[in-house]
Amino acid sequence: MSATKVSDTTLAVSIPEEKQSKAIPSGTSGVKSFLSGGFGGMCLVLAGHPLDLLKVRMQTSTEYKSTLDCFRKTLAENGVRGMYRGMAAPLVGATPVFAICFWGYDMGQKIMRSAYNLSPTDKLSTNQILFAGGFSAIPTTAVMAPMERIKCTLQVGSASGSGVVYKGPADAAMGIIRTGGITSLFKGTCATLLRDVPGSVAYFGAYELIKKSLTNQSAGQGSISPVAIVTAGGLAGMANWASRLQTAPEGRYTGVRQVFVEMMRTEGAGALFRGMGPAMLRAFPANAACFLGVEISLQLMNKAW
């Protein structure tokens, strides 16, 4: 697909010339970054949760032979509604988590502009974009770690063999706190940060570079190409993965190093990649939906004010 064909496929609503400088990455306001990120996060959860559930189950159990086998058994055990088990927590949490993520990305860009004396309309270099992407993970982790902990606990449920089944996110949170205290909600924070700083570098970096190569425009500049956004957003999300530490029984692991050592000793290197199939299947549509939601909502806000 040529860049010309992609750039010609645009949404009916275009950004007025005088407002183009307000979109990511050339000077978006913090409020718009926050709101558009939250909307994109909700789009991501709705599009990708069923495959996220399969990914977590495969990562925490050896009973499934493949992604299809996990899907069949989960569907037979819980029905269609079971495919959305645990969605309440990430759906409710999607707004603040992704809002903070995109706000953090915008702040990272502002830091680079200030450090290099760049105006809001100057384009950032690749390294500056990568810095901004990595920076976004820092404020996001404080919110995401507890939500991931609750979500994974709900998703594992009966599949973990523990016999503990929670009624919902609040019940799961209280159960986690009763078992290990308030700090146990943040179990896996170190692993999450180690995962998300490089992950966010790749996430935002890939999105900006792929979209620019398809349209010859930075994100948010000029008319929006849905095909370019979906392609760039989907590919940018292909590296998503979840932390094994967050789903472990209370007291089993003392840290990231112990998780890694025990997995390698008892299950081999293949355990590190368990759940990769559904993770990759989920990544493209979920993140394509996320970035499409972000770009469209940002464009509409730029048109409104």
Side-chain angles (χ1 to χ4, degrees):
M1 180 180 292
S2 67
T4 301
K5 289 183 179 179
V6 173
S7 61
D8 287 341
T9 310
T10 57
L11 294 179
V13 180
S14 60
I15 301 176
E17 184 70 25
E18 68 273 11
K19 293 188 177 181
Q20 288 183 14
S21 63
K22 295 183 179 180
I24 293 174
S26 41
T28 304
S29 72
V31 173
K32 290 180 181 179
S33 297
F34 189 88
L35 294 176
S36 63
F39 182 73
M42 288 187 285
C43 293
L44 180 145
V45 172
L46 291 171
H49 186 79
L51 283 166
D52 186 47
L53 182 143
L54 298 182
K55 175 197 67 178
V56 172
R57 287 201 162 197
M58 289 187 69
Q59 288 177 327
T60 55
S61 175
T62 58
E63 69 174 283
Y64 305 114
K65 299 177 181 179
S66 65
T67 302
L68 183 59
D69 182 49
C70 182
F71 172 74
R72 287 174 176 171
K73 290 181 178 179
T74 302
L75 192 63
E77 179 183 353
N78 302 304
V80 175
R81 292 182 62 183
M83 299 302 299
Y84 291 90
R85 171 178 292 175
M87 189 179 73
L91 187 60
V92 171
T95 298
V97 168
F98 279 85
I100 291 172
C101 179
F102 278 84
W103 173 82
Y105 179 48
D106 187 51
M107 293 303 103
Q109 293 178 72
K110 285 181 169 61
I111 290 173
M112 287 290 94
R113 293 183 187 284
S114 176
Y116 289 91
N117 295 318
L118 301 176
S119 72
T121 57
D122 289 333
K123 292 184 179 180
L124 297 179
S125 68
T126 298
N127 287 338
Q128 290 165 343
I129 289 174
L130 296 181
F131 170 86
F135 181 85
S136 71
I138 298 175
T140 306
T141 297
V143 174
M144 187 165 62
M147 299 304 301
E148 284 278 305
R149 179 86 163 100
I150 294 170
K151 181 196 72 173
C152 290
T153 298
L154 284 168
Q155 287 181 329
V156 172
S158 59
S160 67
S162 64
V164 180
V165 179
Y166 296 107
K167 298 177 182 178
D171 186 37
M174 293 304 298
I176 293 169
I177 293 173
R178 282 195 301 269
T179 303
I182 189 69
T183 57
S184 64
L185 275 176
F186 293 88
K187 176 187 285 186
T189 296
C190 180
T192 301
L193 195 59
L194 289 174
R195 174 194 71 183
D196 287 350
V197 169
S200 295
V201 168
Y203 190 57
F204 286 105
Y207 176 72
E208 296 284 12
L209 294 176
I210 294 171
K211 183 175 184 293
K212 185 176 181 180
S213 70
L214 293 174
T215 64
N216 197 32
Q217 294 174 335
S218 296
Q221 293 184 334
S223 299
I224 296 177
S225 165
V227 175
I229 294 170
V230 168
T231 301
L235 292 176
M238 293 292 284
N240 271 347
W241 57 282
S243 169
R244 175 70 172 267
L245 177 64
Q246 291 170 315
T247 61
E250 188 64 41
R252 179 175 176 182
Y253 298 125
T254 58
V256 178
R257 182 177 181 277
Q258 187 184 356
V259 176
F260 177 78
V261 171
E262 182 171 330
M263 287 177 66
M264 292 295 291
R265 178 175 59 82
T266 61
E267 303 177 52
L272 296 174
F273 300 94
R274 186 179 298 138
M276 184 68 73
M280 293 300 101
L281 289 174
R282 170 192 178 274
F284 194 96
N287 288 280
C290 175
F291 277 103
L292 188 62
V294 168
E295 293 275 17
I296 291 176
S297 61
L298 189 58
Q299 186 184 42
L300 292 176
M301 282 188 287
N302 281 339
K303 184 177 177 65
W305 82 86

